[in-house]
Amino acid sequence: MSAVIDTTHSHDDHDEHHAPTGIKRWIFSTNHKDIGTMYLIFSFLMFLFGGSMAMVIRAELFQPGLQLVEPAFFNQLTTMHGLVMVFGAVMPATVGLANWMIPLMIGAPDMALPRMNNMSFWILPFAFTLLASSFFLEGGAPNFGWTFYAPLSTTYGPPSTDFFILGVHMLGISSIMGAINVIVTVMNLRAPGMSYMKLPLFVWTWFITAFLLVLVMPVLAGVVTMMLTDRHFGTSFFEAAGGGDPVLFQHVFWFFGHPEVYIMILPAFGIASAIIPTFSRKPLFGYSSMVYASASIAGLSFIVWAHHMFTTGMPVFSELFFMYATILIAVPTGVKVFNWVATMWRGSITYETPMLYALAFVILFTIGGFSGIMLAMAPVDMQYHDTYFVVAHFHYVLFPGAIFGTIAAVYYWMPKWSGRMYNETLAKIQFWLSMIFVNLTFFPMHFSGLAGMPRRIPDYALQFADFNMWASVGAFGLGLTQLLFIYILWDCYKNGKKVGMEVWEGAEGLEWTVPSPAPHHTFSVPPVIK
C-alpha cells in the first residue's frame, strides 16, 4: 500500500462555491497545505531577520576594538538573534513541514484540528512583533542572552523584559497547540492498515517531537511566570536577598532547554531518513532501530539538563551522573548515523541537491556531536564553558543540522508541492557555497574558544583577530548565499519545468512508503570474483 493518499482538494471541494479567496483564503485557512506554506514563509522571514542580526554581530567582531555598535546594543543583538532563530526560524519551519507532509504520509484528509491549526500559526506573527518592538522601547531590547539567566533578566532586565515574557508565553501556546494537533492526527487519522511501525520516519520523529513539546513548553511558561512575579509581585524565586536561588532558574530553564535542542533536531533526523533511502535506491536500513533510537534520544534528553551547569558548583556525584547520562545519548545517535551510512552502502546513489544537503547534514552534525561529547566532560567543560567553543558546537548542530535539514526537505518536496522542478544547477551552487561558508564561519570558532575567547563580548584580545576575521567573512558569504535560495524558489514557482507524480528518477515507491519492496537492481547480489 502506498503511504501517500494525496488529498489536495478533499478539504474544500464540498464547499467550492463558498471557499474564501485572496487574503481571506490565508487568514481563515484550515487547509493543512496553506497553513504549512504560511509557517514555512514566516520561518524564512524570521531566518533572514535573525540572520541580519548575526551579520551585525559578525561585522562588529571582524576586528578587535569597538567599531559599529555600543556594547549594550551588541548584547541586545545576541539575545534577539538566539530567540528569533530558535523560536522563529527553526521551530516554525519544522511545524510547516509537519503540516504539509504528515497528512499526505499517513493518508489523512487534513490535520485533525484544523481551526486550532490556523490559530497556532496566527499567534506567531503577533508574538514576534511584540519581541521586535522591544528594540524601540526605553532601555532597548532584552540584553541578557537567549537563556535569560536570573538575576540579569529579573533584577537587572530592561523594561522590555515584560514584552519578552508575554512573547515567550504566546510562542509556547502556539507550540503546544501545534504539537497536540500532530499527536491527535497521527493517533486518529492514519489510513486503514497503517500501523505505527509502518509510519514513515519523518512522521515518527515529529510524533516524538510533539510529545517533547507538550511536556517541556509548560516548564518554560513556569519559569517566565516566576520571572514576572519576581519583577512585579514581590516574590523571590531567584532573588538571593529574599531567600531565593539564581541557580534554581538554571535548573528550571535547562529542564526545558535541553529537550528543546532535540525538538529542533529530531524532525531533521526524519527528513534525512526520507531523503537518503530515495537517492540510494534502497529501503532504509534498520527501520525499527531508528524508531527506538529516536524515542531513546527524546527520553534521555530529560535527564541531562545540568550538563549546561557544570560551573555552578554542583556536587561531584551530580556532575558524574549528568556527564555519563550525556555521553549515553551518543549511543542512539550513533545508531542513527550508522543506519544512514548502511542505507547508502552499495546503493545506486545519485547526488541531487536534497541528497547533498542530507549528506552534509550527517557529516557536519556528527562533527557537532563530537564537540558535544567534549563539552559533556565535566572537568574539561570548566575550561570550555562560556567560550566560543560552545558557540561552535551548537551552531554545528543547528545550522548544518536543523537548517540544512529544512533546506533539504524544501528541495526534496517542493516539486511535489508546486508541480514544478527547481533549477538543479543553481541549487547545487547554493549548496556548495553554503557548505564552504558554514565551515568557514563556525570551524575557526573551535580554535578561538579553545584559546579562551569568551562569548557574548563585543571586543577581544589581539590573538583572536585572525579567527574572527575568517568567521566574519564566512558569515557574510553564508548570508548572501541564502539570497540565492530566495531566487531559486521564486524561479521554481515562475519558470520551473512541470513534473508528474514521480519526481525523482528511479526512486519510485521509496519516496513515501517505508515497507516498500526493494527496487529492481543487482547490487544485492555478491560480486563474482574471477
Side-chain angles (χ1 to χ4, degrees), residues 82-422:
L83 289 168
V84 166
M85 286 307 205
V86 170
F87 295 110
V90 174
M91 288 171 70
T94 58
V95 179
L97 294 171
N99 262 301
W100 247 105
M101 299 314 302
I102 288 175
L104 299 184
M105 287 179 157
I106 65 173
D110 203 300
M111 296 297 275
L113 307 162
R115 288 186 188 279
M116 189 163 96
N117 203 11
N118 174 290
M119 191 174 168
S120 74
F121 170 75
W122 280 111
I123 290 172
L124 289 178
F126 293 99
F128 277 97
T129 304
L130 206 61
L131 275 178
S133 65
S134 64
F135 275 115
F136 305 104
L137 295 183
E138 183 190 355
N143 58 356
F144 33 65
W146 84 273
T147 51
F148 49 99
Y149 278 5
L152 274 178
S153 56
T154 50
T155 310
Y156 304 106
S160 62
T161 305
D162 301 326
F163 272 43
F164 157 81
I165 289 169
L166 184 57
V168 168
H169 265 304
M170 292 166 72
L171 296 171
I173 292 165
S174 168
S175 295
I176 290 170
M177 288 161 75
I180 289 171
N181 214 343
V182 169
I183 292 168
V184 176
T185 304
V186 174
M187 292 182 84
N188 292 338
L189 295 187
R190 301 193 307 283
M194 176 167 269
S195 65
Y196 281 109
M197 292 312 277
K198 286 183 180 173
L199 290 175
L201 258 167
F202 178 72
V203 180
W204 253 119
T205 52
W206 236 109
F207 190 48
I208 293 164
T209 301
F211 277 104
L212 281 179
L213 279 166
V214 170
L215 289 167
V216 303
M217 278 300 165
V219 179
L220 178 65
V223 80
V224 293
T225 306
M226 290 155 87
M227 277 174 60
L228 188 71
T229 59
D230 267 17
R231 282 172 64 81
H232 297 293
F233 298 102
T235 57
S236 293
F237 290 113
F238 311 126
E239 187 59 62
D245 184 2
V247 178
L248 171 66
F249 176 93
Q250 296 191 34
H251 280 290
V252 183
F253 174 83
W254 285 116
F255 189 77
F256 146 79
H258 199 80
E260 165 65 24
V261 176
Y262 291 95
I263 287 165
M264 290 192 280
I265 203 67
L266 275 169
F269 287 169
I271 291 161
S273 303
I275 291 174
I276 290 172
T278 299
F279 296 101
S280 304
R281 275 78 187 170
K282 278 176 65 187
L284 184 75
F285 181 89
Y287 169 83
S288 55
S289 66
M290 285 295 241
V291 174
Y292 295 130
S294 302
S296 308
I297 288 169
L300 288 169
S301 73
F302 280 101
I303 59 163
V304 297
W305 76 89
H307 67 206
H308 298 268
M309 301 168 54
F310 284 144
T311 55
T312 55
M314 64 175 83
V316 172
F317 169 79
S318 304
E319 292 201 347
L320 285 171
F321 170 80
F322 286 109
M323 182 167 93
Y324 293 140
T326 306
I327 294 166
L328 196 59
I329 284 197
V331 177
T333 311
V335 168
K336 296 183 89 67
V337 173
F338 176 84
N339 285 3
W340 288 324
V341 174
T343 303
M344 293 184 278
W345 178 250
R346 301 183 78 184
S348 303
I349 300 177
T350 51
Y351 297 101
E352 284 88 346
T353 309
M355 184 62 162
L356 290 175
Y357 270 107
L359 289 174
F361 162 79
V362 173
I363 294 163
L364 298 183
F365 175 79
T366 305
I367 292 174
F370 283 140
S371 60
I373 291 173
M374 292 169 69
L375 288 162
M377 308 290 176
V380 187
D381 183 69
M382 292 288 183
Q383 303 299 315
Y384 301 153
H385 190 82
D386 258 342
T387 69
Y388 260 80
F389 190 83
V390 180
V391 180
H393 157 69
F394 68 73
H395 280 92
Y396 259 92
V397 174
L398 284 177
F399 204 108
I403 306 271
F404 273 20
T406 304
I407 296 174
V410 170
Y411 279 131
Y412 181 53
W413 285 318
M414 196 165 59
K416 206 79 172 170
W417 298 340
S418 65
R420 294 177 178 275
M421 194 62 181
Y422 57 85

